[in-house]
Amino acid sequence: MDEHTDAFGGLSKEPGAPDAPASEMLVGAARVAYAKWSEGQSQPVSCIAACPSTIPVRMGTIVGALAAHLELRRLPEFAGTLPPFDPERSRNHHIGALLQALRYPHNVKGHVLLVTETTADPWTLLIASHLLREAGAGKVTPMALLAAI
């Protein structure tokens, strides 16, 4: 893969390739990863995909399957569109653009599992977590399916 280590065999997609539902193998890998990753942690009561994704159908399949498997409430998606990341601009500009672009206009209760496709942009996870906390989440636990290299 070009910018991500794709341990999930199909989470990433080639540029220009269409988004599609996640395969059973990919969903199973996400379940196994969650089981190993969550040992000793408190059980969330709901889950959501982190912000608008480049692969919303695939991520939606994975988050839906995790919600069903773990008997979690699936939260409505974030409102807004992610601004494009501009490496020529400062980190503060990027954070400000995220805060202006994203909204979470729903009430949330309890512990939320925030599932993201990659750790390449930790600021998006930070802002998404912040918005969920402002909406009432007691705790937000992020889970990335890919690690940026």
Side-chain angles (χ1 to χ4, degrees), residues 83-95 97 120-121 123:
F85 180 71
D86 183 355
E88 301 297 318
R89 298 249 176 162
S90 71
R91 172 183 65 203
N92 289 340
H93 179 269
H94 182 59
I95 293 169
D121 180 9
W123 302 110

Side-chain angles (χ1 to χ4, degrees), residues 19-125:
D19 188 16
S23 67
E24 283 299 317
M25 181 185 81
L26 184 55
V27 168
R31 285 185 189 132
V32 169
Y34 176 81
K36 289 181 180 180
W37 170 83
S38 67
E39 289 176 4
Q41 296 196 37
S42 62
Q43 174 75 18
V45 296
S46 55
C47 67
I48 186 172
C51 303
S53 166
T54 58
I55 51 171
V57 174
R58 197 162 302 155
M59 284 301 293
T61 307
I62 293 168
V63 170
L66 283 173
H69 179 71
L70 300 169
E71 298 179 359
L72 306 178
R73 176 176 170 245
R74 185 168 176 191
L75 296 174
E77 301 301 322
F78 284 88
T81 304
L82 282 178
F85 180 71
D86 183 355
E88 301 297 318
R89 298 249 176 162
S90 71
R91 172 183 65 203
N92 289 340
H93 179 269
H94 182 59
I95 293 169
L98 286 169
L99 281 169
Q100 288 181 342
L102 295 176
R103 299 283 174 264
Y104 199 75
H106 308 283
N107 292 324
V108 180
K109 299 273 189 253
H111 182 180
V112 177
L113 176 64
L114 177 64
V115 183
T116 185
E117 60 200 64
T118 181
T119 58
D121 180 9
W123 302 110
T124 302
L125 276 178

Side-chain angles (χ1 to χ4, degrees), residues 104 106-112 129-140:
Y104 199 75
H106 308 283
N107 292 324
V108 180
K109 299 273 189 253
H111 182 180
V112 177
S129 296
H130 170 76
L131 291 172
L132 290 168
R133 292 291 304 249
E134 279 191 336
K139 178 180 179 181
V140 178

